[in-house]
Amino acid sequence: MEYKDRLFVESLERGFEVLRAFEGHESLGLAEIAEKAGITRSAAQRFTHTLEVLGFLRRDAARRWRLTPRTLEFGTYYLAADPLIAQATPHLVDLNNDCGETVNLSRPDALDMVFLGRFTANRRSFIHMPQGMRVPMYCGATGRAYLATLPRDAAQEMVERSVRRAFTPSTQTDPDRIMEAVDAARERGFATAAEQFYVGDLNIACAIVGTDGTGLGAVNISCPTSRWSMADMERELAPRLIETVGFISSVPAARADSGLHHSERNQS
């Protein structure tokens, strides 16, 4: 990505690209890092050495590079500082206990929803979704719920900008069909997604909003097709989900966050 900004530090960007190269990879060789980060092999050597000295990378017995636990530091700073996570957690625990299925909290970032809190089902769950996991808005109930808080034109523009790949045979990639799901979420107060990101996974989600209607995040309930149908989830779980998100949206953290987002929009 190119920026015409005299304050922009390109070397810092390349350093982050080296770390991002590890997405989906346990280890990488130097040539692989250079290719994935879009830099020369000599630059990759300098960056990996620097990151090793700083404690973010290490070399294994095969002389391949691996991330270290220190890379989690910055995410931990965010999780500890976000007041909405702390305010939402008691309500999410109650919802998790009531329904017995997995409950997640997520926030929007660019065209994705980032999962920040996860309270797993009290029965076996086949889906591993760690904190920090990103799900594209177009194919998740959380994203559709968040998009429903935006003006329709803005939501459609975001859907059309998304790289709409099919993660499962059921993934909806047609913009018009996706917007139908967003419109339904706006009318019903919650969104649905059936096996859109994982096979065998059903989701309902409701957006957390500020006092001015600004979308701040979303809460979803994830259920396996082996235990639930979408109709049963809508009938039995959606009312409790909507009630829980109403409590979260009314807390001081949500109101303060809403004011911050409103200020940022005015400045943009």
Side-chain angles (χ1 to χ4, degrees), residues 108-129:
D109 181 51
L111 300 175
D112 300 328
M113 297 299 288
V114 182
F115 283 70
L116 305 177
R118 182 168 173 80
F119 304 85
T120 58
N122 55 22
R123 289 167 284 183
R124 180 174 293 182
S125 177
F126 66 96
I127 292 177
H128 176 57
M129 184 177 285

Side-chain angles (χ1 to χ4, degrees), residues 22-39:
F22 286 86
E23 181 182 3
H25 299 280
E26 184 178 353
S27 67
L28 292 173
L30 194 64
E32 293 172 309
I33 292 173
E35 179 182 1
K36 294 180 181 297
I39 57 179

